[in-house]
């Protein structure tokens, strides 16, 4: 005997496939859908379909976009000599929010994690090397690649791998710094971050 | 009881709710506490509850859900801790459907902030693995000790284990596909680079901890035989250990074909050991059961004394089934050594031991399988003073 009617179970199962959604949340979402009006549901379905139909990945940087090349890659205002490598499109957004970075991006769509079945060949890396040539970059030579993968073991391994790939080419390869969040008090920083910040201290 | 005698870290009372078979509250004494009762009454459960409150872990199981009383959903362990004479904190660990919630003074706290309010070192039958068992038990002993002094070591260990896990998967795949070292090298290097940096940190932390343990080790606590320890790196005899980082890098390079053949990581501090010698002989192989216990107690006491020299306060010391683990003479030695230092909790099923220490200890009798009832025994009446 099933807990709920079959269509409800199907919906709960679909929600459970989503990341970060457990059984209880899935159940809550499914019952919310049941209470929604017909028009609300249709708008929701249309949004899902539209995003799948219209969003493609940029052929240059792999960022998600509705125009190809994406707005960053086609913008004349960006500094084409610097490329910032990030794991996910939302990491790009985080860098972009600084408003101080004016270069280009490269989105890997993941990090190396053999235990999750994510290997080097699953990263969207193949189109990074050709980008570094001036003839593929509107005549501009790439001076620096910033590795802004996450500060965990997988992000670190990914950065290490790309570093070995790029170093022989003679361009500058940098890794984002790890340490203190700005605008907060020392006392609110966790011990691990504090330790990193102490290790990576610099002379002033 | 004079609470002022020991100035820091004192467990004043402990309350449990559906934690294994215990439910109730006990007020503890500042020095020696004896939990007495027949076997199977739940003595160890009280020790386990104290240990859980102090470390958020169990010394019996990795899966805390097992500690929730059968048929119940939620287990709660709550305790009042005197951090200083005038500073009291209420700590609580709740276990429900496999997750634990940590609370300090009615407010939820992250584990990193929770730890360090209370600390405990436990001498249990399981801990005998340190002197008897495989090297991993000894590595855990060292890591536990380092963690109690430097909480951030937890991140180093977690990252290292993660790197080893990832690397093992790569090696396993390479081994199955019969790949050559040259093919695997570019894929393994990103992990080896982290292994070298994290592995060096672990090596130095452990070697340094052993050096400091050696300095405070009471070598002849239990008589003539002398206990010595030394950190045994798996890279010993392979080159210059004083430049560990370079040596590790070199060994990783040389051993890659062997690692591929094996399908798992062969090089790094996850293969190290702690050598424990009793009068120059390896205790695991040549020590008698009594000598092994003595050596372990000696190590625990050294860990306690190191903890004190670092933090200026003593952790709680828990000894499960003390008479099964030690003979009368050793117990006397040990309890004398601990007097005025740690707040000590021991369990025993021997009435003679209780009678012997009645004047120097608070004694609690635990009875009846499912709902344990703690009674404070006094010299005269052996009467019931339950707060449950």
């Amino acid at each position: 005997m099933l807990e709920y009617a079959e269509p409800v179970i199907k919906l709960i199962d679909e929600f459970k496939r989503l990341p970060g959604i457990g059984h209880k949340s899935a159940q809550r979402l499914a019952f919310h859908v049941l209470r929604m009006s017909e028009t609300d549901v249709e708008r929701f379905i249309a949004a899902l379909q539209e995003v799948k139909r219209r969003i493609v990945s940029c052929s240059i940087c792999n960022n998600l976009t509705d125009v190809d090349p994406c707005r960053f890659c086609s913008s004349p205002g960006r500094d084409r000599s610097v490329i910032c490598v990030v794991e996910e499109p939302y990491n790009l957004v985080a860098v972009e929010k600084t408003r101080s970075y004016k270069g280009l991006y490269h989105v890997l769509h993941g990090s190396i994690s053999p235990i999750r079945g994510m290997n080097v060949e699953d990263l969207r890396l193949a189109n990074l090397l050709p980008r570094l040539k001036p003839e593929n970059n509107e005549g501009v030579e790439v001076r620096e690649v910033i590795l802004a993968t996450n500060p965990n073991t997988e992000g670190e391994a990914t950065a290490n791998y790309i570093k070995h790939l790029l170093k022989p080419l003679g361009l500058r390869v940098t890794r984002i710094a790890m340490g203190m969040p700005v605008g907060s008090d020392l006392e609110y920083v966790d011990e691990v971050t504090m330790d990193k910040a102490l290790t990576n201290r610099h002379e002033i | 009881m004079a609470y002022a005698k020991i100035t820091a870290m004192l467990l004043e009372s402990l309350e449990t709710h559906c934690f294994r078979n215990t439910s109730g509250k006990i007020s503890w004494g500042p020095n020696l506490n004896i939990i007495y009762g027949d076997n199977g009454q739940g003595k160890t459960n009280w020790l386990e509850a104290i240990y859980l409150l102090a470390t958020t872990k169990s010394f019996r199981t990795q899966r805390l859900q097992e500690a929730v009383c059968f048929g119940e959903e939620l287990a709660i362990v709550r305790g009042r801790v005197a951090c200083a004479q005038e500073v009291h904190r209420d700590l609580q660990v709740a276990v429900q459907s496999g997750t634990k919630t940590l609370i300090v003074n009615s407010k939820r706290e992250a584990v990193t902030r929770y730890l360090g309010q209370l600390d405990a070192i436990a001498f249990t039958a399981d801990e005998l693995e340190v002197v008897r068992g495989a090297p991993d038990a000894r590595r855990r002993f060292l890591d536990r000790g380092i963690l109690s002094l430097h909480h951030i070591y937890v991140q180093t260990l977690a990252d290292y284990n993660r790197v080893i896990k990832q690397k093992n998967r790569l090696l396993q795949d390479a081994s199955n596909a019969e790949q050559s070292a040259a093919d695997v090298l570019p894929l393994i290097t990103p992990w080896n680079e982290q292994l070298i940096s994290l592995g060096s940190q672990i090596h130095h932390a452990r070697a340094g901890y052993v050096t400091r343990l050696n300095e405070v080790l009471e070598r002849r606590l239990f008589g003539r035989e002398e206990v010595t320890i030394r950190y045994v790196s798996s890279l010993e005899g392979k080159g210059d250990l004083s430049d560990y980082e370079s040596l590790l890098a070199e060994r990783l390079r040389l051993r890659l074909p062997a690692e591929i053949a094996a399908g798992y990581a062969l090089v790094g501090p996850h293969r190290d050991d702690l050598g424990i010698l009793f009068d120059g002989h390896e205790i695991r192989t040549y020590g008698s059961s009594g000598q092994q216990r003595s050596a372990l107690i000696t190590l625990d006491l050294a860990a306690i004394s190191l903890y004190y020299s670092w933090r200026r306060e003593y952790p709680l010391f828990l000894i499960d089934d003390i008479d099964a683990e030690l003979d009368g003479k050793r117990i006397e030695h040990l309890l004398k050594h601990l007097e005025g230092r740690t707040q000590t909790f021991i369990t025993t099923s021997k009435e003679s031991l209780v009678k012997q220490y009645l004047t120097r200890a608070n004694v609690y009798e635990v009875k009846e399988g499912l709902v344990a009832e703690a009674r404070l025994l006094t010299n005269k009446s052996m009467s019931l003073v339950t707060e449950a």
Side-chain angles (χ1 to χ4, degrees):
Chain A
M1 179 74 184
L2 291 167
E3 287 171 292
Y4 301 113
E6 213 172 302
V8 181
I9 299 258
K10 266 162 69 184
L11 184 58
I12 293 176
D13 283 355
E14 284 310 316
F15 277 127
K16 273 205 284 196
R17 288 176 202 271
L18 302 177
I21 305 284
H23 184 74
K24 280 182 186 162
S25 302
Q27 212 165 269
R28 203 162 55 236
L29 290 171
F31 278 89
H32 179 77
V33 171
L34 283 172
R35 279 192 297 271
M36 280 160 74
S37 69
E38 200 85 15
T39 26
D40 285 349
V41 171
E42 266 152 26
R43 199 175 53 231
F44 187 45
I45 295 169
L48 287 176
Q49 285 171 335
E50 191 183 349
V51 83
K52 283 311 286 180
R53 201 173 51 239
R54 291 194 39 203
I55 299 299
V56 291
S57 79
C58 171
S59 54
I60 298 173
C61 75
N62 306 328
N63 187 25
L64 297 179
T65 174
D66 54 351
V67 285
D68 187 23
C70 75
R71 289 180 173 80
F72 299 109
C73 291
S74 57
S75 163
R78 308 292 297 198
D79 177 358
R80 305 196 74 86
S81 69
V82 191
I83 296 177
C84 178
V85 179
V86 293
E87 289 180 20
E88 299 290 346
Y90 45 81
N91 298 142
L92 179 157
V93 174
V95 178
E96 195 55 24
K97 271 189 185 156
T98 64
R99 294 179 183 229
S100 61
Y101 179 69
K102 292 282 174 239
L104 300 180
Y105 292 97
H106 190 89
V107 184
L108 299 171
H109 290 273
S111 57
I112 305 174
S113 176
I115 52 178
R116 292 221 174 99
M118 268 299 282
N119 292 308
V120 169
E121 60 270 20
D122 299 310
L123 296 177
R124 305 272 292 269
L125 254 179
N127 53 345
L128 178 61
L129 286 181
R131 287 182 70 184
L132 305 176
K133 292 193 184 113
E135 60 263 37
N136 297 328
N137 194 34
E138 294 181 6
V140 181
E141 191 178 351
V142 175
R143 288 182 290 114
E144 179 175 358
V145 173
I146 304 169
L147 301 174
T149 51
N150 288 327
N152 52 32
T153 51
E154 288 76 19
E156 209 59 44
T158 308
N160 284 345
Y161 180 79
I162 300 175
K163 169 189 79 184
H164 286 294
L165 218 57
L166 299 183
K167 271 280 154 103
L169 305 180
L171 60 128
R172 191 163 178 240
V173 183
T174 54
R175 178 88 174 101
I176 48 164
M178 284 165 222
M180 306 292 298
V182 176
S184 70
D185 265 27
L186 280 189
E187 65 184 87
Y188 293 125
V189 175
D190 71 277
E191 292 156 311
V192 179
T193 307
M194 188 73 222
D195 186 60
K196 277 260 187 278
L198 274 174
T199 313
N200 301 335
R201 70 189 183 277
H202 59 85
E203 198 152 339
I204 52 169
Chain B
M1 287 292 167
Y3 276 90
K5 194 172 169 194
I6 301 168
T7 50
M9 206 181 280
L10 198 66
L11 182 63
E12 292 182 345
S13 64
L14 185 80
E15 198 180 336
T16 65
H17 175 74
C18 298
F19 182 76
R20 296 207 189 261
N21 72 352
T22 70
S23 276
K25 182 176 174 183
I26 298 182
S27 295
W28 305 102
N31 294 311
L32 179 60
N33 295 281
I34 301 178
I35 303 167
Y36 161 70
D38 291 334
N39 288 327
Q41 300 293 320
K43 301 187 295 288
T44 307
N45 297 345
W46 283 101
L47 276 198
E48 190 187 11
I50 296 172
Y51 193 80
L52 176 73
L53 192 73
T55 64
T56 79
K57 291 194 170 74
S58 162
F59 52 69
R60 279 168 157 178
T61 174
Q62 302 271 6
R63 302 193 308 137
L64 265 182
Q65 192 57 31
E66 288 171 16
V68 180
C69 178
F70 188 76
E72 296 288 333
E73 285 203 343
L74 171 73
I76 294 175
V77 175
R78 197 179 291 142
R80 193 168 169 79
V81 177
C83 307
Q85 238 170 308
E86 303 276 305
V87 183
H88 300 266
R89 289 206 182 113
D90 292 311
L91 306 188
Q92 180 183 309
V93 177
V95 182
Q96 189 172 26
S97 32
T99 59
K100 57 191 171 193
T101 316
L102 310 172
I103 290 171
V104 180
N105 287 344
S106 338
K107 233 179 108 187
R108 206 176 155 157
E109 283 289 7
V111 65
T112 45
R113 285 192 193 278
Y114 180 90
L115 290 174
Q117 319 260 359
L118 189 66
D119 236 315
I121 287 180
F123 179 87
T124 65
D126 289 343
E127 213 211 351
L128 281 167
E129 285 296 299
V130 171
V131 282
R132 253 176 215 176
D136 66 305
R138 285 181 286 285
R139 288 192 298 267
R140 273 203 305 276
F141 170 81
L142 293 177
D143 291 337
R144 241 187 347 254
I146 299 165
L147 276 173
S148 73
L149 305 182
H150 310 280
H151 293 156
I152 49 172
Y153 184 62
V154 76
Q155 189 71 42
T156 312
L157 272 184
D159 283 351
Y160 183 82
N161 291 334
R162 182 100 184 147
V163 167
I164 291 292
K165 209 169 151 190
Q166 296 278 19
K167 185 181 165 179
N168 280 347
R169 174 54 69 88
L170 267 181
L171 288 169
Q172 208 176 61
D173 293 347
S175 175
N176 294 340
E178 294 180 20
Q179 283 177 291
S180 73
D183 288 341
V184 179
L185 188 66
L187 305 177
I188 217 91
T189 306
W191 299 105
N192 276 352
E193 284 177 352
Q194 292 186 79
L195 196 157
I196 290 165
S197 128
L198 295 163
S200 301
Q201 287 174 47
I202 291 173
H203 171 86
H204 292 302
R206 287 188 190 153
Y209 185 70
V210 170
T211 306
R212 281 183 285 150
L213 269 184
N214 251 324
E215 286 163 11
V216 295
L217 208 59
E218 304 253 356
R219 294 175 200 290
R220 295 170 189 273
L221 185 69
F222 294 113
R224 292 171 292 113
E225 301 104 329
E226 193 173 272
V227 180
T228 46
I229 55 170
R230 85 188 180 87
Y231 189 61
V232 185
S233 167
S234 48
L235 300 189
E236 218 167 76
K238 313 278 192 229
D240 180 14
L241 267 177
S242 66
D243 187 4
Y244 185 84
E245 206 161 330
S246 311
L247 180 59
L248 182 56
E250 189 198 317
R251 293 303 298 172
L252 283 167
R253 202 161 44 238
L254 284 173
R255 299 277 284 157
L256 183 59
E259 287 191 315
I260 296 170
Y264 57 89
L266 299 172
V267 184
H270 63 291
R271 311 272 287 183
D272 291 355
D273 199 355
L274 173 71
I276 307 172
L277 305 173
F278 216 63
D279 263 359
H281 299 295
E282 194 62 54
I283 189 125
R284 183 166 51 124
T285 330
Y286 299 104
S288 73
S289 164
Q291 287 170 332
Q292 289 176 338
R293 292 184 168 110
S294 298
L296 180 55
I297 284 272
T298 312
L299 283 181
D300 277 341
L301 292 179
I304 288 172
S305 123
L306 213 55
Y307 186 96
Y308 179 78
S309 68
W310 200 261
R311 304 180 57 132
R312 290 287 135 197
E313 58 187 0
Y314 283 105
L316 312 182
F317 192 31
L318 319 177
I319 309 169
D320 191 27
D321 214 356
I322 192 166
D323 46 81
E325 304 299 347
L326 296 167
D327 59 39
K329 203 180 78 191
R330 289 193 165 102
I331 293 176
E332 179 62 36
H333 265 306
L334 173 65
L335 294 181
K336 196 167 234 158
H337 180 86
L338 293 172
E339 221 172 273
R341 297 185 194 208
T342 60
Q343 187 184 17
T344 309
F345 302 82
I346 65 178
T347 67
T348 181
S349 54
K350 271 204 184 138
E351 211 185 325
S352 58
L353 193 84
V354 171
K355 284 193 173 134
Q356 193 185 341
Y357 289 97
L358 208 49
T359 52
R360 291 147 63 183
N362 284 29
V363 182
Y364 307 85
E365 188 180 9
V366 176
K367 255 191 183 165
E368 301 286 292
L370 280 177
V371 181
E373 186 174 82
R375 297 197 300 165
L376 178 59
L377 300 172
T378 61
N379 214 349
K380 277 181 261 167
S381 58
M382 299 279 253
S383 67
L384 189 84
V385 193
T386 178
E387 295 178 48

